[in-house]
């Protein structure tokens, strides 16, 4: 029997400090420390994020090892997020990963965070995994991307946002309604009892497979401000319909582009990922439209949608198997193309 391979994954690109242990492609532990400190600011404050990572990183890694029931010396390699993300945050995770790999004398593997969101589908929990080529749709607080995935390590971005990310649009519209950060899950919850057709917001006209959400966001903010001037209880009295209408429009924008990407590429394997892939309405729409149009759709478990280290560790495992090892000289990159 083949000896098991243990990979420690470390993720610290934004406001979650995360560590995971994989035995081959199976998750033994997946620990995420969320940073509550940003909630009241309506978004992530970079300096506060790096400080919180420094406090959290050691306990999070220790907890991941403990939960997995393995010791540091059993690890075969360490995979960490090199970028893209907030530089200060990335530096905490990458410096820690480098020091530990030096101390343990084991390989270090650098991982592009966006590869993590796309390749999380290869964690050995879903029975069916995407077949190459597939379309990787990453929808998060920092990114909105359509990627043609030819194999584990060959990917081409074919569409992206020209301004805000879709998760940012959820968060900023939520902030205008008085919600804490991140507002996406709160909008998702209120939408369940709302009428998605009550308020009509514009669908931006952007050429090809690119996206734009900033005009939409401004339209929502202006609409809310105008109505608050007329009725100070406007949000309170309409919160469910407002949320449902905002959510409906954001998902409509995304689905129109996914449909166009399928028509343009002829690829009908669709794998979504990123924090917004936790949205219940998006999950439903992808499945429904997939059934209607004969796509094969792949939606990760909720734990692997928002930022996590299991997705970094699975890329680490795939790279380790293919001898794509990194080195100590590789610097953290706030911009890191896919
Ligand atoms: O992937 P992620 O954890 O971090 C980034 O790399 O950005 O994504 C976070 C984003 C936030 O904008 C958050 O509001 C959004 O994902 N999000 C959701 C839901 N859960 C998280 N948006 C809509 N509905 C949800 N259920
Ligand atoms: Zn992410």
């Amino acid at each position: 029997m083949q000896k098991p391979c243990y990979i420690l994954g470390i993720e610290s690109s934004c406001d979650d400090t995360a560590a995971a242990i994989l035995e081959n492609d199976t998750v033994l532990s997946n620990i995420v420390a969320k940073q509550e400190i940003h909630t009241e600011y309506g978004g992530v404050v970079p300096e506060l994020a790096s400080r919180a990572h420094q406090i959290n990183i050691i306990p999070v890694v220790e907890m991941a090892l403990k939960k997995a029931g393995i010791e540091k010396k059993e690890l075969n390699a360490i995979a960490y997020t090199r970028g893209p993300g907030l530089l200060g945050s990335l530096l905490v995770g990458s410096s820690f990963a480098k020091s530990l790999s030096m101390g343990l004398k084991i390989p270090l593997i650098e991982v592009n965070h966006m590869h993590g969101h796309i390749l999380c589908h290869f964690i050995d929990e879903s029975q069916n995994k995407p077949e190459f080529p597939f379309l990787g749709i990453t929808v998060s607080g920092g990114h909105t991307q359509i990627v043609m995935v030819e194999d584990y390590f060959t990917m081409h971005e074919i569409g992206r946002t020209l301004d805000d990310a879709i998760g940012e649009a959820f968060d900023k519209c939520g902030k205008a309604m008085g919600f804490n950060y991140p507002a996406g899950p709160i909008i998702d919850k209120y939408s369940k009892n709302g009428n998605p057709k009550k308020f009509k917001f514009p669908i931006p006209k952007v050429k090809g497979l690119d996206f734009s959400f900033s005009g939409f966001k401004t339209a929502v903010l202006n609409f809310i401000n105008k109505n608050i001037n007329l009725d100070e209880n406007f949000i309170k009295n309409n919160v469910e319909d407002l949320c449902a209408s905002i959510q409906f429009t954001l998902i409509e924008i995304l689905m129109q582009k996914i449909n166009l990407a399928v028509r343009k590429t002829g690829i009908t394997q669709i794998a979504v990922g990123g924090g917004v892939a936790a949205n219940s309405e998006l999950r439903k729409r992808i499945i429904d439209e997939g059934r209607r149009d004969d796509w094969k759709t792949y939606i990760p478990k909720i734990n692997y949608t928002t930022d996590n280290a299991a997705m970094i560790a699975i890329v680490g495992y795939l790279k380790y198997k293919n001898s794509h090892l990194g080195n100590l000289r590789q610097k953290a990159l706030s911009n890191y193309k896919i």
Side-chain angles (χ1 to χ4, degrees), residues 11 13-14 113-114 117 138 140-143 274-275 305-308 311:
E11 154 63 31
S13 64
C14 190
H113 181 84
M114 307 313 291
H117 278 304
T138 306
S140 73
H143 301 270
T305 57
T306 45
D307 287 348
N308 65 88
M311 72 181 195

Side-chain angles (χ1 to χ4, degrees), residues 166-335:
I166 186 168
E168 215 177 331
F170 268 101
D171 295 334
K172 301 230 170 102
C173 293
K175 189 178 177 198
M177 289 185 282
F179 301 157
N180 278 343
Y181 173 84
I186 308 173
I187 293 182
D188 190 352
K189 199 178 92 202
Y190 278 120
S191 297
K192 290 194 190 338
N193 300 316
N195 172 4
K197 302 280 169 69
K198 175 80 181 280
F199 303 110
K200 208 163 162 43
F201 297 114
I203 304 267
K205 290 191 178 58
V206 183
K207 270 212 254 149
L209 296 175
D210 288 338
F211 298 88
S212 165
F213 292 101
S214 85
F216 165 85
K217 176 194 69 189
T218 308
V220 171
L221 301 195
N222 289 343
F223 176 81
I224 291 177
N225 288 336
K226 194 179 89 193
N227 281 283
I228 293 177
N229 284 336
L230 300 172
D231 167 13
E232 63 178 38
N233 292 319
F234 176 72
I235 293 175
K236 204 168 103 208
N237 294 339
N238 293 281
V239 70
E240 290 170 340
D241 293 340
L242 265 173
C243 286
S245 303
I246 290 167
Q247 176 173 284
F248 172 79
T249 316
L250 286 171
I251 292 173
E252 182 60 30
I253 296 169
L254 183 67
M255 292 311 300
Q256 286 188 7
K257 293 291 180 171
I258 296 177
N259 276 284
L260 183 60
V262 170
R263 287 201 299 279
K264 279 192 163 197
T265 61
I267 297 172
T268 53
Q269 303 254 335
I270 314 290
V272 287
V276 179
N279 183 272
S280 55
E281 185 58 27
L282 174 59
R283 294 169 89 88
K284 190 171 161 294
R285 279 285 295 273
I286 293 264
I287 293 171
D288 288 352
E289 297 198 18
R291 275 203 196 111
R292 185 194 69 196
D293 292 343
D294 227 5
W295 305 341
K296 274 199 145 181
T297 53
Y298 304 90
I299 304 176
K301 269 177 46 176
I302 297 274
N303 291 354
Y304 306 138
T305 57
T306 45
D307 287 348
N308 65 88
M311 72 181 195
I312 303 304
I314 190 71
V315 182
Y317 171 68
L318 295 167
K319 284 191 158 187
Y320 184 75
K321 267 201 332 187
N322 288 279
S323 306
H324 292 194
L325 304 181
N327 62 60
L328 295 169
R329 290 181 307 280
Q330 288 166 325
K331 289 198 178 105
L333 300 169
S334 56
N335 282 313

Side-chain angles (χ1 to χ4, degrees), residues 56 87 120 178 231 273:
N56 292 340
L87 193 58
C120 72
D231 167 13

Side-chain angles (χ1 to χ4, degrees), residues 13-201:
S13 64
C14 190
D15 60 333
D16 295 315
T17 320
I21 308 283
L22 258 62
E23 177 178 333
N24 302 330
D25 54 356
T26 302
V27 177
L28 299 183
S29 63
N30 187 29
I31 308 293
V32 183
K34 299 247 170 233
Q35 301 182 357
E36 300 302 328
I37 190 143
H38 308 286
T39 50
E40 61 194 279
Y41 295 95
V44 178
V45 184
E47 185 51 38
L48 295 179
S50 352
R51 282 191 225 162
H53 282 306
Q54 284 178 322
I55 295 167
N56 292 340
I57 188 94
I58 293 175
V60 163
V61 170
E62 278 177 344
M63 206 186 293
L65 284 162
K66 188 164 173 224
K67 176 123 193 275
I70 69 156
E71 291 187 40
K72 291 199 282 292
K73 60 176 194 272
E74 292 177 86
L75 291 171
N76 294 82
I78 300 174
Y80 71 98
T81 303
R82 184 178 180 194
L86 301 170
L87 193 58
S89 292
L90 291 165
L91 282 170
V92 179
S94 59
S95 314
F96 182 85
K98 286 176 182 178
S99 321
L100 193 58
S101 89
M102 262 200 296
L104 296 172
K105 298 189 177 56
I106 55 174
L108 180 69
I109 301 169
E110 58 90 38
V111 174
N112 182 315
H113 181 84
M114 307 313 291
H115 288 193
H117 278 304
I118 290 172
L119 298 177
C120 72
H121 297 274
F122 294 93
I123 290 172
D124 189 29
E125 279 174 30
S126 55
Q127 301 309 313
N128 52 9
K129 295 180 180 146
E131 284 160 30
F132 299 112
F134 67 87
L135 293 178
I137 316 290
T138 306
V139 280
S140 73
H143 301 270
T144 307
Q145 256 184 351
I146 304 181
V147 176
M148 201 156 90
V149 187
E150 287 181 19
D151 65 43
Y152 295 130
F153 313 114
T154 315
M155 306 186 187
H156 312 282
E157 186 188 70
I158 56 171
R160 66 185 174 93
T161 181
L162 303 175
D163 41 57
D164 295 349
I166 186 168
E168 215 177 331
F170 268 101
D171 295 334
K172 301 230 170 102
C173 293
K175 189 178 177 198
M177 289 185 282
F179 301 157
N180 278 343
Y181 173 84
I186 308 173
I187 293 182
D188 190 352
K189 199 178 92 202
Y190 278 120
S191 297
K192 290 194 190 338
N193 300 316
N195 172 4
K197 302 280 169 69
K198 175 80 181 280
F199 303 110
K200 208 163 162 43
F201 297 114

